[in-house]
Each structure stands twice: as structure tokens, then as C-alpha cells.
């Protein structure tokens, strides 16, 4: 639940940064809508939760395995707080996966399912930013062509209303993905702790607690990261904000509902923003800031893994 909360305020920017930066929504209204969307989306993320709970690592039941899960989650929390402090929109999802894998590597009887890591983490991690960037550019080109004869001020007013819908869709998609990952970890803990015999069954209370805590964290707001995504990468106008959110939410829905793949909402929306901005001119994107973000993406999985390993060595005697 602590990780779920940090996920909420760390990734609040994913859903609302573009809407706030274009003044389509006030900050508090946007956060309230994002919290509600995350709460709703949680209840549609069952496939993603099952992937996380049973497809990434294999642990024997017992107290020692609970120590592995605990250390993995603490590693993810540590990475979330570190990147939040510097205002870097890294992936909470990959922090969680990295922490879990790092702790499992040194656990007795623990096995990392590398084929699952490749199929469900590495490949989506590479493809989702590429898809987000390309689709963001294509959708923005289509928007500019369709409305090429429109009055700019009238179009901006219209797209501010449209952004309310696209931001709501983005919030639901974030709930489908990120709350579901927390649910998967809780199920893994219940299974390894011997409290349930299945590593895929999700009790009803897990849905509700994960949804509520993620919503609370989202409403708290990660203002450092919101400023980075909303202003430092590119100055967005309402049509660009709508295009970026529409693309990102579509990618999130497809992966959650069709593939059951736990992709990063951070990677998806950030790359969509870059793709949309590049249609104006390449210089419109602040590539220095973008480069720092991409470097954080690369370091997230191993960085959280190292934090989890260090944590595990200190906590292992407690769970022996």
C-alpha cells in the first residue's frame, strides 16, 4: 500500500500534466478527476495483475519469500522517492519489477522467470515509447489536417473541452495498469505467505484497497513531475495535449484489456508528448530534458533492483 501511494503521487503527472499545462483543467480539478479515474480503472486491470503475480518470479511459500517480496517493494519505493525528488518521470512499474527481480536473485529457492521478464517487461518497455512517439506524431498530423481551416482561438476552446475526456480516459488507463501491478504483488505475497493456494486469484478487498490508496496518492499530486512533463519537455497547446492523451490512453487500454501486458504509463505518455511536439518542429522538444528522462528509464529497472538487493541483505535475518 505504501508503494501504491507513492505510485499515485509519482504518476499523477501521467494523467493530468498536459491538461494542467494547457489550462484545460485547474490543478485540483484535474487531480480529483485523475483519482476517480484511477479508482475506476483498477477494476479492469485483472489480466495485468495476474501477469505480475505469477509471470515474473517464482517463489516458494514461507516467511523467507515474504522477505523477498517486502524487500522488492521497498526497493521500488526508494526509487520512486529518489526520482520524484529530482522531478524525473521514471516508471513506477519498472521500479516494482526491478525491485522484485533484484531481491529474488539472491533468495533461496527463488527463480526469476526470464522469459516472462522478456515478454512482459523488456519488449513492452522498448516498444511502448516507440509506438507512443509514432502514434503521437501521426494523430497530431491528422488533427492539424482536419482542422487546418479552423479558427485558432475557437479550436483551442474546443480542444480544452476534449482534453477533459482524454484526461479522464488516461486516468482510467493508469488505474488499469498501475493499480493492477500493486494487486499482483499483494496476490504474490498472499500466495508465498500461505494465505491462499492460488497465485492468480485476486480477493475482492485487494481491488478496493489498491484502488483507494492509488486514488489517494494521485490526489496528493506529484507536482515536481507534473512541472517536468507539462512544461519542461515542450510547451503544449490544447490540440497537442488532446492528441498525446488520446494516443497514450489507447495504448494503455489495448495492453491492459487485450494483451494483459504491464506497460509503463510514464513511458507511453512521455513519448506521445515528444511525438506530438516533434510535428511542430524538432527543436520544439527540449531534447536535453528528454534525454535525461530516457536515461532514467534505462536506469530504473537495475537501480530499483540494486536498492532491493541491499534491503534484502539487511532484512533477510528477520525473515529467516
Amino acid at each position: 500500500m505504501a508503494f501504491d501511494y507513492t505510485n499515485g503521487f509519482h504518476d499523477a503527472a501521467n494523467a493530468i500534466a498536459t491538461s494542467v499545462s494547457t489550462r484545460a483543467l485547474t490543478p485540483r480539478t484535474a487531480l480529483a478527476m485523475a483519482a476517480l479515474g484511477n479508482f475506476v480503472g483498477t477494476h479492469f486491470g485483472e489480466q495485468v495483475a495476474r501477469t505480475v503475480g505469477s509471470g515474473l518470479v517464482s517463489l516458494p511459500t514461507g516467511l523467507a519469500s515474504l522477505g523477498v517480496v517486502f524487500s522488492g517493494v521497498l526497493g521500488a519505493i526508494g526509487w520512486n522517492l529518489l526520482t520524484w525528488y529530482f522531478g524525473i518521470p521514471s516508471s513506477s512499474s519498472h521500479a516494482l519489477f526491478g525491485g522484485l527481480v533484484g531481491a529474488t536473485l539472491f533468495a533461496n529457492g527463488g527463480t526469476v522467470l526470464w522469459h516472462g521478464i522478456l515478454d512482459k517487461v523488456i519488449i513492452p518497455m522498448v516498444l511502448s515509447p516507440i509506438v507512443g512517439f509514432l502514434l503521437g506524431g501521426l494523430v497530431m498530423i491528422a488533427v492539424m489536417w482536419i482542422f487546418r481551416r479552423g479558427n485558432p482561438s475557437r479550436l483551442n476552446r474546443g480542444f480544452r473541452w476534449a482534453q477533459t475526456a482524454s484526461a479522464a480516459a488516461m486516468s482510467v488507463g493508469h488505474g488499469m495498469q498501475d493499480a493492477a501491478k500493486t494487486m499482483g504483488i499483494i496476490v504474490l505475497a498472499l500466495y508465498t505467505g500461505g494465505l491462499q493456494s492460488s497465485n492468480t486469484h485476486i480477493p475482492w478487498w485487494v481491488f478496493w484497497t489498491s484502488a483507494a490508496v492509488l486514488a489517494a496518492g494521485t490526489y496528493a499530486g506529484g507536482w515536481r513531475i507534473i512541472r517536468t512533463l507539462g512544461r519542461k519537455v515542450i510547451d503544449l497547446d490544447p490540440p497537442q495535449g488532446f492528441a498525446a492523451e488520446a494516443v497514450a490512453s489507447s495504448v494503455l487500454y489495448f495492453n491492459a484489456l487485450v494483451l494483459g501486458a504491464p506497460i509503463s504509463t510514464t513511458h507511453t505518455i512521455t513519448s506521445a508528448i515528444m511525438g506530438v511536439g516533434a510535428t511542430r518542429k524538432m527543436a520544439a522538444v527540449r531534447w536535453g530534458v528528454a534525454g535525461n528522462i530516457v536515461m532514467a528509464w534505462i536506469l530504473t529497472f537495475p537501480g530499483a533492483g540494486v536498492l532491493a538487493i541491499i534491503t534484502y541483505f539487511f532484512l533477510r535475518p528477520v525473515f529467516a
Side-chain angles (χ1 to χ4, degrees):
M1 289 301 99
F3 169 79
D4 203 21
Y5 187 84
T6 65
N7 189 346
F9 75 72
H10 191 280
D11 286 5
N14 295 337
I16 68 164
T18 55
S19 298
V20 171
S21 67
T22 62
R23 296 178 175 81
L25 295 169
T26 63
R28 282 299 166 191
T29 299
L31 281 170
M33 186 180 68
L36 179 61
N38 279 326
F39 186 86
V40 172
T42 300
H43 297 82
F44 297 93
E46 190 169 351
Q47 289 190 67
V48 174
R50 288 194 174 122
T51 297
V52 174
S54 61
L56 303 181
V57 300
S58 176
L59 295 168
T61 58
L63 185 62
S65 291
L66 281 178
V68 175
V69 178
F70 186 49
S71 300
V73 174
L74 287 180
I77 292 172
W79 187 262
N80 272 355
L81 294 176
L82 181 66
T83 51
W84 165 81
Y85 180 81
F86 289 104
I88 300 172
S90 66
S91 170
S92 295
S93 307
H94 292 145
L96 183 61
F97 301 153
L100 190 60
V101 168
T104 302
L105 284 173
F106 292 88
N108 292 329
T111 303
V112 177
L113 305 177
W114 291 110
H115 64 280
I117 298 294
L118 178 64
D119 293 343
K120 300 297 186 179
V121 179
I122 304 300
I123 292 177
M125 180 175 69
V126 174
L127 289 182
S128 60
I130 296 173
V131 171
F133 184 88
L134 294 177
L135 285 181
L138 290 173
V139 170
M140 192 62 224
I141 290 171
V143 168
M144 289 189 296
W145 186 83
I146 293 169
F147 297 98
R148 65 191 183 280
R149 302 185 191 280
N151 179 277
S153 60
R154 184 176 297 175
L155 285 175
N156 280 341
R157 285 196 300 271
F159 274 105
R160 283 193 177 97
W161 283 106
Q163 268 200 278
T164 303
S166 62
M170 185 70 198
S171 302
V172 174
H174 181 263
M176 285 182 184
Q177 283 286 340
D178 285 52
K181 292 155 192 167
T182 301
M183 291 194 298
I185 293 299
I186 294 172
V187 168
L188 179 63
L190 292 173
Y191 172 72
T192 57
L195 297 175
Q196 68 179 44
S197 59
S198 171
N199 61 355
T200 58
H201 172 66
I202 307 172
W204 66 269
W205 62 266
V206 174
F207 281 97
W208 285 92
T209 52
S210 299
V213 173
L214 182 69
T218 299
Y219 189 71
W223 295 110
R224 294 170 185 260
I225 297 173
I226 289 172
R227 283 191 288 270
T228 298
L229 270 186
R231 288 294 180 189
K232 293 184 180 180
V233 176
I234 183 175
D235 292 319
L236 294 169
D237 58 28
Q240 290 174 324
F242 169 78
E245 290 174 341
V247 166
S249 58
S250 298
V251 173
L252 293 176
Y253 286 11
F254 179 79
N255 279 276
L257 298 177
V258 178
L259 301 180
I263 67 167
S264 168
T265 55
T266 305
H267 291 191
T268 307
I269 185 60
T270 307
S271 58
I273 290 172
M274 293 178 189
V276 164
T279 61
R280 185 192 300 172
K281 57 180 180 178
M282 293 298 285
V285 180
R286 298 180 180 96
W287 294 107
V289 176
N292 292 336
I293 292 173
V294 172
M295 182 57 65
W297 292 354
I298 295 170
L299 294 176
T300 292
F301 191 92
V306 169
L307 291 178
I309 291 169
I310 295 171
T311 303
Y312 179 63
F313 277 116
F314 278 104
L315 293 179
R316 184 163 57 179
V318 177
F319 290 89

